[in-house]
Amino acid sequence: MSRQALARVVSEFSDKPFHARQLFSWIYGRAETDLAKMSNLPRSLRASLAERFVIAHPRVELRQSSRDGSVKYLLRLEDGKAVEAVYIPEKTRVTLCISSQIGCPLGCTFCLTAKMGLVRNLTPGEIAGQVTVLAAEHHLAANAYNLVFMGMGEPLNNYDQVLAAFHLLTDLEGIGIAARHITLSTAGVVPGIRRLARENPRPRLAVSLSATTDALRDEFMPINRAYPLAELFASLRELPLAPREKVTLEYVLLRGMNDRREDAHRLASLAGKLPLKVNLIPYNETWREGYAATPLESARSFRDALLDRKISASIRRRRGADISAACGQLAILDPATLEHPVSVA
Ligand code: SF4
């Protein structure tokens, strides 16, 4: 519930508006689920609420720790379905990677989540709940981490719920994450990008690109057949970017397929004057036959070709690969065998 929705509920039991603010702050700011512990609320109000409502965060069912410090969480939801989220410590900040859907319908060929298909959308509470749980697990203050919607699902295909979660997460009475520290990653859902351009405040945007011709992108990312590259970049140019804000392009490097210097030059031409930073992602070879990772030397040469064209680019360190927590690797594991993928029914 948003703070406003919670205020409507609390107004049935209390004529003091600040009680709703206190309750909101307990639930989201302190991740408290036990009404009895909300000591600054009147006992009678707590008792009335306890008769009618349950406060629940996703339940941690499994933690897998990587050698690099990342931790992947399997979180169980109220209806018994599960979702994954990842804690990623970096030099100066932490990044939390969260999911917007269970599974994903978009079928990108290099992505393990795609194998699940779409199971269902997550609610705002389930999305924000991933953050409250991971922040509490690692004792994180709200200004100590970045949040990326790069887990399972296409956030712009669950637009209303994701935006409601964004407002929950940025509410200063609750978790209070700065909007600029939240990035939403899309495969290129152009109507969603255009809608997002009209939001204020709004999260930052990352686009998973991974190909510079429509022919290849049609093959890697079927969403491109609906919204080809020219239309995608036209929608990105409509974003009212803040000073120094850049759109992030995620580019998974696949040997011999999209990693030649001419691909880098085409990418630079597509970008034109759009302020961009490009994250080059080493492909993880663990699960799909037919795709191979680009060798480091070629990845560097691709990056240098972009830098020569004045485009900010870096090769991202692969994080959490040993626990299948790297990009495109989230899918529900069988908790007994830790094998991918399993039935998600
Ligand atoms: S890469 Fe993202 S959009 Fe594509 S199938 Fe995977 S989760 Fe969905």
Side-chain angles (χ1 to χ4, degrees):
M1 278 185 197
S2 66
R3 188 148 51 87
Q4 295 72 16
L6 205 61
R8 283 193 291 277
V9 165
V10 173
S11 68
E12 290 177 36
F13 306 96
S14 161
D15 56 5
K16 306 224 166 32
F18 65 83
H19 285 155
R21 278 208 315 277
Q22 287 169 325
L23 180 59
F24 186 86
S25 164
W26 277 108
I27 297 171
Y28 291 104
R30 304 197 216 180
E32 183 57 71
T33 55
D34 186 353
L35 278 158
K37 291 188 182 156
M38 301 183 184
S39 48
N40 57 357
L41 290 173
R43 201 180 293 267
S44 58
L45 174 60
R46 284 183 268 159
S48 308
L49 290 170
E51 275 173 24
R52 292 259 312 270
F53 298 98
V54 173
I55 303 169
H57 293 303
R59 187 168 50 79
V60 176
E61 184 156 307
L62 193 66
R63 296 173 186 83
Q64 286 180 278
S65 299
S66 163
R67 283 188 295 272
D68 66 22
S70 307
V71 185
K72 183 167 76 167
Y73 288 87
L74 180 71
L75 301 171
R76 191 63 63 185
L77 306 172
E78 283 284 278
D79 67 352
K81 301 228 177 323
V83 73
E84 291 186 337
V86 190
Y87 162 86
I88 308 163
E90 288 162 304
K91 267 195 202 122
T92 53
R93 282 181 84 79
V94 163
T95 296
L96 302 182
C97 175
I98 60 168
S99 298
S100 56
Q101 298 179 307
I102 304 178
C104 182
L106 293 191
C108 303
T109 53
F110 49 80
C111 170
L112 190 54
T113 310
K115 289 258 178 204
M116 297 172 66
L118 176 65
V119 179
R120 73 165 169 85
N121 285 330
L122 294 176
T123 66
E126 289 167 340
I127 296 167
Q130 296 168 62
V131 182
T132 48
V133 169
L134 267 60
E137 285 263 322
H138 295 276
H139 310 290
L140 299 175
N143 55 6
Y145 55 92
N146 293 323
L147 194 63
V148 293
F149 282 79
M150 291 185 190
M152 296 159 72
E154 164 54 58
L156 294 181
N157 274 5
N158 186 19
Y159 191 98
D160 291 334
Q161 318 270 42
V162 165
L163 254 283
F166 169 77
H167 290 301
L168 279 176
L169 293 163
T170 51
D171 192 317
L172 291 174
E173 302 278 344
I175 305 177
I177 308 171
R180 68 179 186 286
H181 289 152
I182 302 180
T183 300
L184 194 153
S185 177
T186 178
V189 178
V190 166
I193 296 172
R194 295 212 157 104
R195 220 174 136 188
L196 200 66
R198 298 194 292 274
E199 305 280 354
N200 186 18
R202 63 167 169 76
R204 301 240 156 147
L205 191 69
V207 177
S208 177
L209 190 74
S210 298
T212 57
T213 64
D214 281 322
L216 190 59
R217 200 162 188 270
D218 283 355
E219 185 188 321
F220 285 169
M221 305 182 73
I223 184 86
N224 195 70
R225 294 174 205 156
Y227 308 111
L229 286 166
E231 202 177 331
L232 173 60
F233 276 87
S235 71
L236 296 178
R237 285 194 184 85
E238 289 167 25
L239 280 170
L241 298 179
R244 305 222 309 268
E245 181 181 355
K246 291 179 173 171
V247 174
T248 303
L249 292 187
E250 309 282 342
Y251 197 96
V252 178
L253 284 166
L254 299 163
R255 182 159 71 198
M257 301 185 101
N258 66 356
D259 61 350
R260 288 157 300 204
R261 283 183 81 88
E262 64 249 38
D263 290 299
H265 289 298
R266 250 194 314 269
L267 197 162
S269 303
L270 280 168
K273 291 192 168 37
L274 183 68
L276 282 182
K277 62 177 175 189
V278 180
N279 282 339
L280 300 169
I281 302 169
Y283 176 65
N284 191 297
E285 292 182 347
T286 51
W287 73 277
R288 196 186 193 283
E289 286 176 15
Y291 290 166
T294 296
L296 188 57
E297 268 316 297
S298 312
R300 285 187 178 137
S301 147
F302 192 98
R303 177 200 58 197
D304 293 345
L306 289 173
L307 294 175
D308 288 346
R309 298 279 301 263
K310 308 276 179 275
I311 291 188
S312 156
S314 57
I315 302 169
R316 206 151 76 183
R317 272 203 308 148
R318 188 182 286 167
R319 305 299 306 269
D322 54 331
I323 53 165
S324 291
C327 274
Q329 286 195 299
L330 298 190
I332 301 303
L333 298 167
D334 179 339
T337 63
L338 303 188
E339 294 276 313
H340 278 119
V342 298
S343 159
V344 290

PDB file of all heavy atoms in Angstrom, residues 103-108 110-114 151-154 186-187 208 221 328, ligand 1:
ATOM      1  N   GLY A 103       9.521 -14.874 -13.860  1.00  0.00           N
ATOM      2  CA  GLY A 103       9.737 -15.261 -15.241  1.00  0.00           C
ATOM      3  C   GLY A 103       9.664 -14.043 -16.142  1.00  0.00           C
ATOM      4  O   GLY A 103       9.680 -12.903 -15.670  1.00  0.00           O
ATOM      5  N   CYS A 104       9.592 -14.267 -17.438  1.00  0.00           N
ATOM      6  CA  CYS A 104       9.525 -13.151 -18.394  1.00  0.00           C
ATOM      7  C   CYS A 104       8.996 -13.676 -19.725  1.00  0.00           C
ATOM      8  O   CYS A 104       9.390 -14.764 -20.158  1.00  0.00           O
ATOM      9  CB  CYS A 104      10.911 -12.540 -18.583  1.00  0.00           C
ATOM     10  SG  CYS A 104      10.879 -11.118 -19.703  1.00  0.00           S
ATOM     11  N   PRO A 105       8.131 -12.917 -20.387  1.00  0.00           N
ATOM     12  CA  PRO A 105       7.557 -13.414 -21.640  1.00  0.00           C
ATOM     13  C   PRO A 105       8.370 -13.044 -22.884  1.00  0.00           C
ATOM     14  O   PRO A 105       7.984 -13.425 -23.984  1.00  0.00           O
ATOM     15  CB  PRO A 105       6.198 -12.698 -21.688  1.00  0.00           C
ATOM     16  CG  PRO A 105       6.450 -11.387 -21.017  1.00  0.00           C
ATOM     17  CD  PRO A 105       7.527 -11.637 -19.977  1.00  0.00           C
ATOM     18  N   LEU A 106       9.479 -12.308 -22.741  1.00  0.00           N
ATOM     19  CA  LEU A 106      10.067 -11.689 -23.932  1.00  0.00           C
ATOM     20  C   LEU A 106      11.035 -12.580 -24.715  1.00  0.00           C
ATOM     21  O   LEU A 106      11.398 -12.247 -25.837  1.00  0.00           O
ATOM     22  CB  LEU A 106      10.734 -10.358 -23.575  1.00  0.00           C
ATOM     23  CG  LEU A 106       9.756  -9.265 -23.132  1.00  0.00           C
ATOM     24  CD1 LEU A 106      10.449  -7.911 -23.067  1.00  0.00           C
ATOM     25  CD2 LEU A 106       8.555  -9.157 -24.062  1.00  0.00           C
ATOM     26  N   GLY A 107      11.462 -13.665 -24.140  1.00  0.00           N
ATOM     27  CA  GLY A 107      12.162 -14.690 -24.925  1.00  0.00           C
ATOM     28  C   GLY A 107      13.523 -14.313 -25.485  1.00  0.00           C
ATOM     29  O   GLY A 107      13.906 -14.819 -26.548  1.00  0.00           O
ATOM     30  N   CYS A 108      14.290 -13.438 -24.810  1.00  0.00           N
ATOM     31  CA  CYS A 108      15.647 -13.129 -25.297  1.00  0.00           C
ATOM     32  C   CYS A 108      16.463 -14.424 -25.273  1.00  0.00           C
ATOM     33  O   CYS A 108      16.450 -15.151 -24.271  1.00  0.00           O
ATOM     34  CB  CYS A 108      16.302 -12.060 -24.435  1.00  0.00           C
ATOM     35  SG  CYS A 108      15.323 -10.538 -24.361  1.00  0.00           S
ATOM     36  N   PHE A 110      19.591 -15.195 -25.073  1.00  0.00           N
ATOM     37  CA  PHE A 110      20.760 -15.401 -24.215  1.00  0.00           C
ATOM     38  C   PHE A 110      20.397 -15.381 -22.735  1.00  0.00           C
ATOM     39  O   PHE A 110      21.270 -15.305 -21.877  1.00  0.00           O
ATOM     40  CB  PHE A 110      21.821 -14.312 -24.491  1.00  0.00           C
ATOM     41  CG  PHE A 110      21.246 -12.926 -24.488  1.00  0.00           C
ATOM     42  CD1 PHE A 110      21.007 -12.273 -23.310  1.00  0.00           C
ATOM     43  CD2 PHE A 110      20.930 -12.299 -25.685  1.00  0.00           C
ATOM     44  CE1 PHE A 110      20.449 -11.003 -23.299  1.00  0.00           C
ATOM     45  CE2 PHE A 110      20.371 -11.025 -25.684  1.00  0.00           C
ATOM     46  CZ  PHE A 110      20.128 -10.370 -24.485  1.00  0.00           C
ATOM     47  N   CYS A 111      19.106 -15.420 -22.410  1.00  0.00           N
ATOM     48  CA  CYS A 111      18.671 -15.189 -21.030  1.00  0.00           C
ATOM     49  C   CYS A 111      17.980 -16.421 -20.458  1.00  0.00           C
ATOM     50  O   CYS A 111      17.049 -16.961 -21.066  1.00  0.00           O
ATOM     51  CB  CYS A 111      17.725 -14.000 -21.008  1.00  0.00           C
ATOM     52  SG  CYS A 111      16.897 -13.771 -19.434  1.00  0.00           S
ATOM     53  N   LEU A 112      18.418 -16.829 -19.292  1.00  0.00           N
ATOM     54  CA  LEU A 112      17.852 -18.032 -18.676  1.00  0.00           C
ATOM     55  C   LEU A 112      16.435 -17.788 -18.148  1.00  0.00           C
ATOM     56  O   LEU A 112      15.582 -18.676 -18.197  1.00  0.00           O
ATOM     57  CB  LEU A 112      18.772 -18.474 -17.537  1.00  0.00           C
ATOM     58  CG  LEU A 112      18.503 -19.836 -16.916  1.00  0.00           C
ATOM     59  CD1 LEU A 112      18.479 -20.929 -17.959  1.00  0.00           C
ATOM     60  CD2 LEU A 112      19.549 -20.148 -15.863  1.00  0.00           C
ATOM     61  N   THR A 113      16.181 -16.576 -17.665  1.00  0.00           N
ATOM     62  CA  THR A 113      14.830 -16.268 -17.160  1.00  0.00           C
ATOM     63  C   THR A 113      13.785 -16.527 -18.241  1.00  0.00           C
ATOM     64  O   THR A 113      12.658 -16.961 -17.944  1.00  0.00           O
ATOM     65  CB  THR A 113      14.754 -14.779 -16.718  1.00  0.00           C
ATOM     66  OG1 THR A 113      15.849 -14.480 -15.871  1.00  0.00           O
ATOM     67  CG2 THR A 113      13.450 -14.492 -15.996  1.00  0.00           C
ATOM     68  N   ALA A 114      14.165 -16.253 -19.487  1.00  0.00           N
ATOM     69  CA  ALA A 114      13.220 -16.425 -20.603  1.00  0.00           C
ATOM     70  C   ALA A 114      12.689 -17.850 -20.683  1.00  0.00           C
ATOM     71  O   ALA A 114      11.563 -18.077 -21.125  1.00  0.00           O
ATOM     72  CB  ALA A 114      13.904 -16.048 -21.912  1.00  0.00           C
ATOM     73  N   GLY A 151      16.641  -7.889 -12.556  1.00  0.00           N
ATOM     74  CA  GLY A 151      16.447  -9.295 -12.217  1.00  0.00           C
ATOM     75  C   GLY A 151      15.486  -9.938 -13.205  1.00  0.00           C
ATOM     76  O   GLY A 151      15.554  -9.696 -14.403  1.00  0.00           O
ATOM     77  N   MET A 152      14.569 -10.720 -12.676  1.00  0.00           N
ATOM     78  CA  MET A 152      13.633 -11.410 -13.563  1.00  0.00           C
ATOM     79  C   MET A 152      12.563 -10.437 -14.051  1.00  0.00           C
ATOM     80  O   MET A 152      12.045  -9.633 -13.291  1.00  0.00           O
ATOM     81  CB  MET A 152      12.961 -12.550 -12.797  1.00  0.00           C
ATOM     82  CG  MET A 152      13.950 -13.616 -12.355  1.00  0.00           C
ATOM     83  SD  MET A 152      13.320 -14.611 -10.997  1.00  0.00           S
ATOM     84  CE  MET A 152      12.107 -15.554 -11.827  1.00  0.00           C
ATOM     85  N   GLY A 153      12.260 -10.536 -15.352  1.00  0.00           N
ATOM     86  CA  GLY A 153      11.108  -9.803 -15.860  1.00  0.00           C
ATOM     87  C   GLY A 153      11.443  -8.542 -16.624  1.00  0.00           C
ATOM     88  O   GLY A 153      12.563  -8.027 -16.571  1.00  0.00           O
ATOM     89  N   GLU A 154      10.460  -8.067 -17.379  1.00  0.00           N
ATOM     90  CA  GLU A 154      10.557  -6.804 -18.121  1.00  0.00           C
ATOM     91  C   GLU A 154       9.735  -5.769 -17.346  1.00  0.00           C
ATOM     92  O   GLU A 154       8.502  -5.797 -17.350  1.00  0.00           O
ATOM     93  CB  GLU A 154      10.002  -7.000 -19.540  1.00  0.00           C
ATOM     94  CG  GLU A 154       9.692  -5.727 -20.295  1.00  0.00           C
ATOM     95  CD  GLU A 154      10.837  -4.726 -20.384  1.00  0.00           C
ATOM     96  OE1 GLU A 154      11.903  -5.079 -20.900  1.00  0.00           O
ATOM     97  OE2 GLU A 154      10.659  -3.588 -19.908  1.00  0.00           O
ATOM     98  N   THR A 186      15.186  -2.070 -19.452  1.00  0.00           N
ATOM     99  CA  THR A 186      14.176  -2.586 -20.371  1.00  0.00           C
ATOM    100  C   THR A 186      14.832  -3.254 -21.581  1.00  0.00           C
ATOM    101  O   THR A 186      15.930  -2.875 -21.981  1.00  0.00           O
ATOM    102  CB  THR A 186      13.230  -1.459 -20.856  1.00  0.00           C
ATOM    103  OG1 THR A 186      12.301  -1.999 -21.791  1.00  0.00           O
ATOM    104  CG2 THR A 186      13.988  -0.326 -21.516  1.00  0.00           C
ATOM    105  N   ALA A 187      14.103  -4.201 -22.152  1.00  0.00           N
ATOM    106  CA  ALA A 187      14.570  -4.816 -23.398  1.00  0.00           C
ATOM    107  C   ALA A 187      14.214  -3.932 -24.597  1.00  0.00           C
ATOM    108  O   ALA A 187      14.620  -4.220 -25.718  1.00  0.00           O
ATOM    109  CB  ALA A 187      13.938  -6.199 -23.559  1.00  0.00           C
ATOM    110  N   SER A 208      18.689  -2.909 -22.608  1.00  0.00           N
ATOM    111  CA  SER A 208      19.483  -4.058 -23.009  1.00  0.00           C
ATOM    112  C   SER A 208      19.500  -4.071 -24.534  1.00  0.00           C
ATOM    113  O   SER A 208      18.471  -4.270 -25.164  1.00  0.00           O
ATOM    114  CB  SER A 208      18.803  -5.309 -22.431  1.00  0.00           C
ATOM    115  OG  SER A 208      19.492  -6.441 -22.835  1.00  0.00           O
ATOM    116  N   MET A 221      16.627 -10.792 -29.515  1.00  0.00           N
ATOM    117  CA  MET A 221      15.600 -10.186 -28.653  1.00  0.00           C
ATOM    118  C   MET A 221      14.332  -9.974 -29.488  1.00  0.00           C
ATOM    119  O   MET A 221      14.176  -8.946 -30.161  1.00  0.00           O
ATOM    120  CB  MET A 221      16.106  -8.842 -28.099  1.00  0.00           C
ATOM    121  CG  MET A 221      17.444  -8.981 -27.385  1.00  0.00           C
ATOM    122  SD  MET A 221      18.039  -7.439 -26.659  1.00  0.00           S
ATOM    123  CE  MET A 221      16.956  -7.260 -25.276  1.00  0.00           C
ATOM    124  N   GLY A 328      21.089 -12.180 -16.714  1.00  0.00           N
ATOM    125  CA  GLY A 328      20.427 -13.174 -17.553  1.00  0.00           C
ATOM    126  C   GLY A 328      20.446 -14.578 -16.978  1.00  0.00           C
ATOM    127  O   GLY A 328      20.021 -15.527 -17.630  1.00  0.00           O
TER     128      GLY A 328
HETATM  129  S1  SF4 B   1      16.854 -10.371 -20.856  1.00  0.00           S
HETATM  130 FE1  SF4 B   1      15.287  -9.345 -19.588  1.00  0.00          FE
HETATM  131  S2  SF4 B   1      13.626  -8.922 -21.056  1.00  0.00           S
HETATM  132 FE2  SF4 B   1      14.921 -10.481 -22.050  1.00  0.00          FE
HETATM  133  S3  SF4 B   1      13.968 -12.462 -21.466  1.00  0.00           S
HETATM  134 FE3  SF4 B   1      15.567 -11.997 -19.932  1.00  0.00          FE
HETATM  135  S4  SF4 B   1      14.459 -10.999 -18.246  1.00  0.00           S
HETATM  136 FE4  SF4 B   1      13.139 -10.893 -20.085  1.00  0.00          FE
END
